């Protein structure tokens, strides 16, 4: 039997690749399920959508303000938040790329205190170059934020926990790049982890999540 198995593998090496890929996907899904409660917390991210309270599907995006692909994902995210009442988007900072990303994340999260998070978020993603403190302040003023208050709120200790929780979740799911998307049915048995920008995969996952059967 062992000889037959070895011969089959030798003649069809893609079997091993497929098995490894399936295993990796299953591991990622299990890790995401364990990290999901933290990722769904509104206190440590920002929830957007046409009607978040009635949403049946959550799309969680882990992003970095200096990530080019995150900037390219803006239209997708904006479209979902504006057009589909069955879906809510949870935006979570994962400042990986440079030291300025951490400060940008803190300023963005602090904008929640003035009810301007989403305006500031999309404005920051529209910028090119490094988001220095001067640039963060300039963009803040352009969307109507009180820059002095924003700087003060950005130093709040609670933001440390918010960003650290995102890193912990990403590490648990073995996600080491941005953007990364997790699509889950809020009242159904469906979840998919999508590393990188793949708009078709995100939209397909949303469609499947809407059809998911109740969990359990």
């Amino acid at each position: 039997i062992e000889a037959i198995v070895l011969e089959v593998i030798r003649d069809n090496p893609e079997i091993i690749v497929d098995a490894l890929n399936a295993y990796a996907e299953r591991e990622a899904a299990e890790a995401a399920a364990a990290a999901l409660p933290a990722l769904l917390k509104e206190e440590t991210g920002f929830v957007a959508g046409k009607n978040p309270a009635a949403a049946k599907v959550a799309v969680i995006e882990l992003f970095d303000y200096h990530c080019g692909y995150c900037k390219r994902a803006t239209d997708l995210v904006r479209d979902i938040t504006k057009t589909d009442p069955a879906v809510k988007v949870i935006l979570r900072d994962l400042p990986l790329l440079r030291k300025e990303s951490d400060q940008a994340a803190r300023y963005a999260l602090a904008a929640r205190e003035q009810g301007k998070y989403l305006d500031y978020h999309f404005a920051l993603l529209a910028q090119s170059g490094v988001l220095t403190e001067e640039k963060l302040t300039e963009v803040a003023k352009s969307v109507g934020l009180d820059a002095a208050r924003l700087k003060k709120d950005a130093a709040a200790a609670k933001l440390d926990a918010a960003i650290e929780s995102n890193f912990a979740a990403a590490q648990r799911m073995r996600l080491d790049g941005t953007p990364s998307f997790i699509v889950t049915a809020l009242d159904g048995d469906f979840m998919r982890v999508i590393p990188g920008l793949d708009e078709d995969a995100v939209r397909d996952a949303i469609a499947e999540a809407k059809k998911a059967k109740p969990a359990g």
Side-chain angles (χ1 to χ4, degrees):
I1 293 176
E2 182 179 346
I4 293 172
V5 171
L6 290 173
E7 183 178 354
V8 170
I9 292 174
R10 187 167 51 249
D11 293 341
N12 303 276
E14 67 275 9
I15 292 174
I16 297 296
V17 176
D18 291 344
L20 289 173
N21 287 340
Y23 176 77
E25 288 179 7
R26 188 167 62 251
E27 286 267 290
E30 290 174 356
L36 195 58
L39 290 171
L40 290 173
K41 278 188 177 180
E42 297 187 14
E43 299 87 348
T44 52
F46 184 83
V47 179
K50 196 168 184 180
N51 188 5
K56 302 298 183 184
V57 176
V59 177
I60 302 160
E61 182 192 10
L62 295 165
F63 66 91
D64 184 307
Y65 282 111
H66 288 97
C67 165
Y69 285 102
C70 299
K71 295 177 187 294
R72 289 171 56 183
T74 299
D75 288 342
L76 168 66
V77 174
R78 198 197 305 267
D79 181 60
I80 295 172
T81 62
K82 286 187 174 183
T83 63
D84 196 337
V87 182
K88 67 179 178 181
V89 175
I90 302 175
L91 299 165
R92 308 195 71 88
D93 293 271
L94 193 66
L96 288 166
L97 297 180
R98 54 187 309 135
K99 63 180 182 180
E100 291 87 355
S101 294
D102 183 75
Q103 187 173 34
R106 291 171 183 277
Y107 268 60
L109 287 168
R112 298 179 303 178
E113 304 296 332
Q114 298 183 51
K116 289 279 188 179
Y117 175 91
L118 210 55
D119 291 339
Y120 193 44
H121 170 75
F122 287 130
L124 290 179
L125 286 172
Q127 304 303 308
S128 58
V130 179
L131 292 170
T132 61
E133 184 172 6
E134 181 181 0
K135 191 64 172 287
L136 291 170
T137 300
E138 177 187 322
V139 177
K141 290 178 179 178
S142 75
V143 298
L145 282 160
D146 179 330
R149 180 184 172 189
L150 184 69
K151 182 176 181 178
K152 180 180 178 181
D153 290 340
K158 66 181 180 181
L159 300 188
D160 294 334
I163 295 172
E164 287 169 8
S165 70
N166 295 341
F167 273 105
Q171 184 177 28
R172 194 167 192 174
M173 292 184 289
R174 298 177 186 176
L175 295 171
D176 56 4
T178 53
S180 291
F181 294 89
I182 301 99
V183 180
T184 185
L186 295 171
D187 58 357
D189 190 13
F190 178 88
M191 182 174 57
R192 181 170 298 164
V193 179
I194 304 167
L197 175 57
D198 187 336
E199 181 172 343
D200 290 339
V202 172
R203 293 194 183 279
D204 288 346
I206 289 172
E208 290 187 49
K210 288 178 180 179
K211 297 183 290 186
K213 295 179 179 179

